[in-house]
Amino acid sequence: MKNWASGLVCIILSGNIWSQSIEKLPLVIVGAGASGSMASIQSARMGVPSLLLEESHWVGGMLTAAGVSAIDGNHKMPSGLWGEFRDSLYRRYGGPQAVETGWVSNTLFEPSVGRSIIAHMIKKEGNISLLLNTKVSKVSKINDGYELSYIKDGKNYTIQTSYLIDATELGDIAKMLKIPRRIGMDSRNDTGESWAPIKPNNFIQDLTYVVILRDFGPNADMTIPKPKNYNPEKYRCCCDIADPSTKQQSRLDCNQMMTYGKLPNGKYMINWPNCGNDFYVNMINMNDQQRKIAIDQAKLHSLGFIYYMQTELGFKHLGIADDEYDTDDKLPLIPYHRESGRVHGEILFTANHVMKPYDYTLYRTGIAVGDYPIDHHHKQKPNVPIIDFFDIKAPSYNVPLGSLIPKSQDRLIIAEKSISVSNIVNGATRLQPVVLGIGQAAGALAAIAYKNNVALNKINIREVQHALLSSNAYIVPFFDVLNSDQDFRAIQKLGVLGIVQGIGVPYKWANQTWFYPDRIVTEYEAVNGLRPYFRALHQKYDASGEPMTLKYLYDLFLSLGYDKAFAMPNMSGQSPVTRRQLAVLIDRFLPIFDQSIDLQGHIITKI
């Protein structure tokens, strides 16, 4: 596979990809942002090489090129590649405390450092061909894959691929393919979410053109030139954290605003929603020229905020960092897009699924996890129906696999922020660790689909989940059982089987789902949890609320026809069984995880 990748690079650099005799590429990923980078790494580790195309000259997307270098959520669930990235940050800076520099996050870092780490992660795989400064100009569906045209160094190329991942910031590949998408707020009649407006609209979340500042010393004057059309009234309430209605400012609050995104090495991430640099514009369906104009307006708004802080709040010693970005204005390469066009997928993941996962079956298909509250930024657009931060008190959640698969395509995978979720749920799934996890899952899905040569809607979901578990990724959000736990995989499997249910808790900035591994399981709980998977248990109602003993579990296994239970030591005792023990024993002796389920989470064949 590595020879394939190195050969492809040589062919591309020759200037005419079709001048050489090559096979169709296994996988092309468009967008080397948070999702695309992780997708390429995961597929490479599973033996499937990829061509990774990126329009800018940075990898990492919102974490790096957009400057959103303060991780929101999943601090206690270091899932898969997100955990590897964080561990690299710890090594680079000197441990967890060295990156706990701002109050908004437990993990803050300089964007250039994040870019360096992700670039290294990609490079060391060997069978990922990364092309930067590369723009896809056309994509079309062919019989068994896709054909793409792209521009690199002023030259045009055309390639074909068996599978394609759209990991662009705004879902541009889905747009080119004219795949139906939801843009803006959904109607509650469409999604069934009581928090959604009655009528749909096209209002999306504010974007932010982040600015990275650096402390140049107490006597420095780093005041930038007054931006065009500067209006200080836009920023007047930026320090009014407790009460946005007041016009009075407190230097203490202004310092709190500044330390929100304090980074290592005396730098500051300016990504502030309250009268700060959030900016409303819907760029999803704009052409390139329209987007450029919109981006310039967003930059001016952010520069106005910087000028305000320097001239009216006394932060003139903080100037735009000159050692982060190599752009002419030293600003990030791209804006932080909080929302994209969301495809019509095989599954629409809604707030109802998040709130009460066990009322549905989608949790069985989970491939990524998140714990951040449903957070919407809508302060810059007048007359937008408000979805308040704490209105929807949800537990942590897992993202269903079917939300990555468009209905109309059988070899296209959607990643980043364009997956099939409601507008409300996008307020949680847009956060960095979730998007990293979605990318990792997209890579696993593509690799398995390619190896088996199957349509995505026919994929073996358990095979994808197994690949993710083998990569130390979470598929259910049990935050009280770390992936370093020796029984992590067994407990995760039990979680998506739903044999015992997690306990969901909305909690501050990091929602929770507790597994309680040491809690005793009752007879009824175990039998009722196993009932959907075994026909023999449909009429079994002799399980009580008594604590389940090893002997009871032993007899239960035998009644289901699994004589491997005879090999289990001490199974004749009356010791009660904990959730942890149940997970381990079921994983070892009952082949439930091998049963097929569909994208809705329905069991296809019962034992």
Side-chain angles (χ1 to χ4, degrees):
M1 293 294 186
K2 291 185 179 181
N3 290 336
W4 174 91
S6 59
L8 176 62
V9 172
C10 293
I11 292 166
I12 290 173
L13 293 179
S14 72
N16 185 354
I17 197 166
W18 292 115
S19 66
Q20 304 288 334
S21 176
I22 64 168
E23 297 180 0
K24 180 188 295 184
L25 312 184
L27 174 63
V28 171
I29 303 167
V30 184
S35 273
S37 297
M38 299 304 111
S40 69
I41 294 166
Q42 180 66 28
S43 65
R45 291 182 181 179
M46 294 176 65
V48 175
S50 63
L51 174 62
L52 180 59
L53 307 177
E54 169 55 38
E55 190 168 346
S56 75
H57 61 284
W58 275 43
V59 296
M62 63 174 167
L63 284 81
T64 62
V68 192
S69 55
I71 300 297
D72 293 307
N74 285 27
H75 177 62
K76 293 189 177 181
M77 291 188 292
S79 179
L81 292 173
W82 147 233
E84 291 183 30
F85 175 71
R86 190 179 70 174
D87 287 345
S88 294
L89 289 171
Y90 288 171
R91 288 191 294 271
R92 183 72 65 93
Y93 284 107
Q97 290 185 344
V99 296
E100 292 182 4
T101 48
W103 58 263
V104 72
S105 171
N106 298 100
T107 307
L108 299 100
F109 55 94
E110 296 157 285
S112 57
V113 171
R115 174 207 185 188
S116 173
I117 289 171
I118 294 174
H120 177 71
M121 291 173 70
I122 293 172
K123 184 177 181 180
K124 74 177 183 180
E125 293 306 322
N127 55 351
I128 302 170
S129 293
L130 171 64
L131 294 183
L132 301 174
N133 296 310
T134 301
K135 181 174 178 58
V136 173
S137 55
K138 183 180 179 182
V139 59
S140 57
K141 183 78 173 69
I142 56 178
N143 287 336
D144 54 352
Y146 295 87
E147 185 171 281
L148 294 89
S149 298
Y150 65 87
I151 302 168
K152 169 71 175 173
D153 296 330
K155 297 179 180 179
N156 295 302
Y157 303 92
T158 300
I159 55 173
Q160 292 184 352
T161 181
S162 297
Y163 294 88
L164 177 62
I165 296 178
D166 182 353
T168 59
E169 296 291 325
L170 291 175
D172 288 337
I173 297 303
K175 176 184 174 183
M176 290 180 183
L177 289 168
K178 296 182 170 54
I179 293 174
R181 298 184 294 167
R182 295 177 174 85
I183 298 176
M185 293 183 170
D186 309 295
S187 162
R188 69 181 63 172
N189 296 322
D190 182 29
T191 65
E193 299 166 317
S194 61
W195 308 272
I198 296 175
K199 294 183 179 180
N201 59 61
N202 64 354
F203 299 145
I204 68 170
Q205 289 195 63
D206 300 337
L207 60 77
T208 303
Y209 218 100
V210 174
V211 182
I212 305 298
L213 299 182
R214 180 160 72 91
D215 190 340
F216 286 85
N219 298 320
D221 185 350
M222 304 304 299
T223 303
I224 63 173
K226 186 177 181 179
K228 182 180 178 181
N229 299 324
Y230 169 70
N231 179 4
E233 297 306 314
K234 293 180 179 179
Y235 316 106
R236 195 68 72 186
C237 67
C238 66
C239 296
D240 300 334
I241 297 172
D243 183 5
S245 64
T246 179
K247 297 297 182 181
Q248 296 181 355
Q249 296 176 4
S250 161
R251 184 57 191 267
L252 177 63
D253 282 348
C254 291
N255 284 329
Q256 184 179 358
M257 180 265 291
M258 287 304 304
T259 55
Y260 160 91
K262 186 177 181 182
L263 309 179
N265 295 322
K267 295 177 182 175
Y268 297 82
M269 178 197 72
I270 307 303
N271 174 24
W272 188 245
N274 299 324
C275 299
N277 53 334
D278 275 12
F279 183 80
Y280 183 81
V281 61
N282 187 339
M283 293 172 53
I284 295 171
N285 282 328
M286 288 183 176
N287 60 36
D288 289 347
Q289 183 59 32
Q290 290 170 328
R291 286 183 179 180
K292 183 181 183 305
I293 294 171
I295 287 171
D296 287 343
Q297 292 172 341
K299 283 184 178 181
L300 273 177
H301 182 72
S302 289
L303 291 173
F305 186 40
I306 302 304
Y307 185 76
Y308 180 84
M309 289 191 296
Q310 291 173 327
T311 59
E312 301 211 24
L313 301 183
F315 294 112
K316 66 180 182 180
H317 60 292
L318 301 181
I320 298 175
D322 54 6
D323 57 349
E324 282 296 323
Y325 297 103
D326 57 0
T327 53
D328 291 339
D329 53 15
K330 303 303 178 184
L331 296 180
L333 282 68
I334 59 174
Y336 171 31
H337 297 285
R338 291 184 175 86
E339 192 168 339
S340 176
R342 306 177 310 281
V343 299
H344 288 237
E346 292 286 343
I347 294 297
L348 173 61
F349 187 41
T350 73
N352 295 331
H353 301 123
V354 174
M355 295 291 286
K356 296 182 178 180
Y358 299 108
D359 285 2
Y360 307 90
T361 52
L362 288 183
Y363 71 89
R364 294 175 179 164
T365 71
I367 44 79
V369 299
D371 64 7
Y372 202 76
I374 293 173
D375 178 18
H376 281 247
H377 286 230
H378 284 298
K379 295 187 176 181
Q380 296 300 315
K381 177 73 172 177
N383 302 319
V384 175
I386 298 299
I387 299 171
D388 189 78
F389 192 92
F390 292 108
D391 270 356
I392 307 175
K393 295 178 173 59
S396 52
Y397 60 91
N398 62 357
V399 178
L401 178 65
S403 63
L404 279 62
I405 305 172
K407 278 187 176 180
S408 56
Q409 309 286 318
D410 60 2
R411 290 174 178 253
L412 173 68
I413 300 169
I414 303 296
E416 201 65 27
K417 294 176 281 286
S418 301
I419 64 172
S420 180
V421 297
S422 69
N423 163 266
I424 290 178
V425 170
N426 174 76
T429 56
R430 67 177 176 82
L431 280 310
Q432 305 100 315
V434 186
V435 174
L436 290 168
I438 289 168
Q440 183 168 7
L445 173 59
I448 290 169
Y450 177 74
K451 288 180 177 181
N452 296 323
N453 191 27
V454 296
L456 295 169
N457 58 6
K458 303 297 183 183
I459 201 74
N460 184 328
I461 296 171
R462 296 303 191 211
E463 192 175 352
V464 176
Q465 292 175 327
H466 178 75
L468 293 170
L469 289 175
S470 298
S471 302
N472 251 7
Y474 290 67
I475 56 176
V476 286
F478 292 159
F479 93 115
D480 56 340
V481 182
L482 288 173
N483 54 6
S484 57
D485 191 295
Q486 64 178 358
D487 300 322
F488 171 75
R489 294 181 190 178
I491 290 171
Q492 287 282 303
K493 289 179 184 179
L494 193 75
V496 292
L497 290 169
I499 294 171
V500 294
Q501 298 180 0
I503 311 300
V505 179
Y507 181 72
K508 296 183 178 180
W509 294 80
N511 296 325
Q512 302 170 350
T513 302
W514 292 76
F515 177 68
Y516 297 116
D518 299 322
R519 179 175 287 183
I520 302 301
V521 181
T522 68
E523 293 175 3
Y524 180 80
E525 186 178 16
V527 171
N528 200 50
L530 287 167
R531 200 184 307 277
Y533 298 94
F534 294 94
R535 293 188 181 93
L537 294 179
H538 284 189
Q539 302 302 319
K540 182 177 177 62
Y541 292 101
D542 58 351
S544 79
E546 293 286 333
M548 184 175 66
T549 65
L550 285 169
K551 176 65 167 60
Y552 185 95
L553 184 61
Y554 172 77
D555 291 337
L556 181 61
F557 280 8
L558 289 182
S559 72
L560 296 174
Y562 291 94
D563 56 5
K564 286 184 179 180
F566 284 110
M568 297 166 61
N570 303 319
M571 285 300 289
S572 61
Q574 297 300 314
S575 299
V577 177
T578 66
R579 287 178 163 219
R580 176 189 294 275
Q581 290 172 321
L582 182 66
V584 171
L585 293 172
I586 287 178
D587 186 44
R588 179 182 296 182
F589 294 108
L590 296 186
I592 312 175
F593 194 72
D594 296 333
Q595 288 181 257
S596 296
I597 58 173
D598 63 20
L599 291 172
Q600 294 283 348
H602 300 145
I603 302 163
I604 296 175
T605 53
K606 298 183 180 182
I607 299 174

